[in-house]
Coordinates of all heavy atoms in Angstrom, one line a residue:
V7 N 41.3 97.9 32.3 CA 40.1 98.7 32.8 C 40.6 99.8 33.6 O 40.1 100.9 33.5 CB 39.1 97.7 33.4 CG1 38.1 98.6 34.2 CG2 38.5 96.8 32.5
Q8 N 41.6 99.6 34.4 CA 42.1 100.5 35.4 C 42.8 101.6 34.6 O 42.5 102.8 35.0 CB 43.1 99.8 36.4 CG 43.6 100.8 37.4 CD 42.4 101.3 38.4 OE1 41.7 100.4 38.8 NE2 42.3 102.6 38.5
R9 N 43.5 101.2 33.5 CA 44.0 102.3 32.7 C 43.0 103.3 32.1 O 43.2 104.5 32.0 CB 44.9 101.7 31.6 CG 46.3 101.0 32.1 CD 47.2 100.9 30.9 NE 46.7 99.9 30.0 CZ 47.0 98.5 30.2 NH1 47.6 98.1 31.2 NH2 46.4 97.8 29.2
I10 N 41.9 102.8 31.6 CA 40.8 103.5 31.0 C 40.2 104.4 32.0 O 40.0 105.6 31.8 CB 39.7 102.6 30.5 CG1 40.3 101.8 29.2 CG2 38.4 103.3 30.0 CD1 39.3 100.5 28.8
V11 N 40.0 103.8 33.4 CA 39.4 104.7 34.3 C 40.3 105.8 34.8 O 39.9 107.0 34.9 CB 39.0 103.8 35.7 CG1 38.6 104.6 36.8 CG2 37.9 102.7 35.3
D12 N 41.7 105.6 34.9 CA 42.5 106.5 35.3 C 42.5 107.6 34.2 O 42.7 108.7 34.5 CB 44.0 105.8 35.4 CG 44.1 105.1 36.7 OD1 43.2 105.2 37.5 OD2 45.0 104.2 36.7
G13 N 42.4 107.2 33.0 CA 42.5 108.2 31.8 C 41.3 109.0 32.0 O 41.3 110.3 31.7
L14 N 40.0 108.5 32.3 CA 38.9 109.2 32.4 C 39.0 110.4 33.5 O 38.6 111.5 33.4 CB 37.6 108.5 32.7 CG 37.3 107.6 31.6 CD1 36.2 106.5 31.9 CD2 36.7 108.5 30.3
F15 N 39.5 109.9 34.7 CA 39.8 110.8 35.8 C 40.6 112.0 35.4 O 40.6 113.1 35.8 CB 40.3 110.2 37.0 CG 39.0 109.5 37.8 CD1 38.9 108.2 37.9 CD2 38.2 110.4 38.5 CE1 37.9 107.6 38.6 CE2 37.1 109.9 39.2 CZ 37.0 108.5 39.2
R16 N 41.8 111.5 34.8 CA 42.8 112.6 34.3 C 42.1 113.6 33.4 O 42.3 114.8 33.4 CB 44.0 111.9 33.6 CG 45.0 111.4 34.5 CD 46.3 111.1 33.9 NE 46.2 110.1 32.8 CZ 46.2 108.8 33.0 NH1 46.5 108.3 34.2 NH2 46.2 107.9 32.0
G17 N 41.2 113.1 32.5 CA 40.5 114.0 31.6 C 39.6 115.0 32.5 O 39.5 116.1 32.1
D18 N 38.9 114.4 33.5 CA 38.0 115.3 34.3 C 38.8 116.4 35.0 O 38.3 117.6 35.1 CB 37.4 114.4 35.4 CG 36.3 113.6 34.7 OD1 35.8 113.9 33.6 OD2 35.8 112.6 35.3
E19 N 40.1 116.0 35.6 CA 40.9 117.0 36.2 C 41.3 118.1 35.2 O 41.4 119.2 35.6 CB 42.1 116.2 36.8 CG 41.8 115.4 38.0 CD 43.0 114.8 38.6 OE1 43.8 114.2 37.8 OE2 43.1 114.6 39.7
M20 N 41.6 117.7 33.9 CA 42.0 118.7 33.0 C 40.9 119.6 32.8 O 41.1 120.8 32.5 CB 42.6 118.0 31.6 CG 43.9 117.3 31.8 SD 44.4 116.4 30.5 CE 44.6 117.7 29.3
A21 N 39.6 119.0 32.6 CA 38.5 120.0 32.4 C 38.3 120.9 33.5 O 38.0 122.2 33.3 CB 37.3 119.0 32.3
V22 N 38.5 120.5 34.7 CA 38.3 121.4 35.8 C 39.5 122.4 35.8 O 39.2 123.6 36.1 CB 38.5 120.6 37.1 CG1 38.6 121.6 38.4 CG2 37.3 119.7 37.3
A23 N 40.7 122.0 35.5 CA 41.7 123.0 35.4 C 41.5 124.0 34.3 O 42.1 125.2 34.4 CB 43.1 122.2 35.1
D24 N 40.9 123.6 33.2 CA 40.6 124.6 32.1 C 39.4 125.5 32.4 O 39.2 126.6 31.7 CB 40.4 123.9 30.9 CG 41.5 123.2 30.3 OD1 42.6 123.6 30.7 OD2 41.4 122.1 29.5
A25 N 38.6 125.2 33.5 CA 37.4 126.1 33.8 C 37.9 127.2 34.4 O 39.1 127.4 34.8 CB 36.6 125.3 34.8
P26 N 37.1 128.4 34.4 CA 37.4 129.5 35.3 C 38.0 129.3 36.7 O 37.6 128.4 37.3 CB 36.1 130.3 35.3 CG 35.3 129.8 34.1 CD 35.7 128.4 34.1
S27 N 39.1 130.0 37.1 CA 39.7 129.6 38.1 C 38.9 129.5 39.5 O 39.3 128.6 40.4 CB 40.8 130.7 38.5 OG 40.2 131.9 38.8
D28 N 37.8 130.2 39.6 CA 37.0 130.0 40.8 C 35.5 129.9 40.6 O 34.7 129.6 41.5 CB 37.4 131.3 41.8 CG 36.9 132.6 41.2 OD1 36.1 132.6 40.2 OD2 37.1 133.6 41.7
G29 N 35.1 130.0 39.3 CA 33.7 129.6 39.0 C 32.9 130.5 39.4 O 31.6 130.6 39.3
R30 N 33.3 131.9 39.9 CA 32.3 132.8 40.3 C 31.7 133.5 39.3 O 30.6 134.2 39.6 CB 33.2 133.9 41.2 CG 33.8 133.3 42.4 CD 34.6 134.3 43.3 NE 35.4 133.7 44.1 CZ 36.3 134.3 45.0 NH1 36.5 135.6 44.9 NH2 37.1 133.6 45.9
D31 N 31.9 133.4 38.1 CA 31.2 134.0 37.0 C 29.9 133.3 37.0 O 28.8 133.9 36.4 CB 31.8 133.9 35.7 CG 32.2 132.4 35.3 OD1 32.5 131.5 36.2 OD2 32.2 132.2 34.2
H32 N 29.7 132.1 37.3 CA 28.4 131.3 37.4 C 27.3 132.1 38.4 O 26.2 132.1 38.1 CB 28.6 129.9 37.9 CG 29.3 129.0 36.9 ND1 28.6 128.5 35.8 CD2 30.6 128.8 36.8 CE1 29.7 127.8 35.1 NE2 30.8 128.0 35.7
A33 N 27.9 132.7 39.4 CA 27.0 133.4 40.3 C 26.2 134.5 39.7 O 25.3 134.9 40.2 CB 27.8 133.9 41.6
E34 N 26.7 135.0 38.6 CA 26.1 136.2 38.0 C 24.7 135.8 37.5 O 23.9 136.7 37.2 CB 27.0 136.8 36.9 CG 28.3 137.4 37.5 CD 29.3 137.7 36.4 OE1 28.8 137.7 35.1 OE2 30.3 138.2 36.5
N35 N 24.6 134.5 37.3 CA 23.4 134.0 36.7 C 22.3 133.7 37.8 O 21.2 133.2 37.5 CB 23.6 132.7 36.0 CG 24.4 133.1 34.7 OD1 24.2 134.0 34.0 ND2 25.4 132.1 34.3
A36 N 22.6 133.8 39.0 CA 21.7 133.6 40.1 C 20.6 134.4 40.1 O 20.7 135.7 39.7 CB 22.4 133.8 41.5
A37 N 19.4 133.9 40.4 CA 18.2 134.8 40.3 C 18.1 135.7 41.5 O 18.7 135.5 42.6 CB 16.9 133.8 40.3
A38 N 17.3 136.6 41.3 CA 17.0 137.7 42.4 C 16.5 137.0 43.7 O 15.8 135.9 43.5 CB 16.0 138.6 41.9
G39 N 16.9 137.6 44.7 CA 16.4 137.0 46.0 C 17.8 136.6 46.8 O 17.5 136.0 47.9
G40 N 18.9 136.8 46.4 CA 20.1 136.5 47.2 C 21.2 136.1 46.3 O 21.0 135.4 45.3

């Protein structure tokens, strides 16, 4: 079970690493008002 859990966390970390470096492109979708 621990090996499975560790594998899932490693997968999550890889997904974050593959995401845009700072995520600021998401901010372009913010609604008007700030």
Side-chain angles (χ1 to χ4, degrees):
V7 171
Q8 187 60 55
R9 286 196 297 271
I10 294 172
V11 171
D12 289 343
L14 290 173
F15 274 111
R16 282 196 296 271
D18 287 342
E19 288 181 320
M20 291 175 65
V22 171
D24 291 338
S27 62
D28 58 15
R30 295 179 191 176
D31 58 325
H32 292 278
E34 296 175 1
N35 296 320

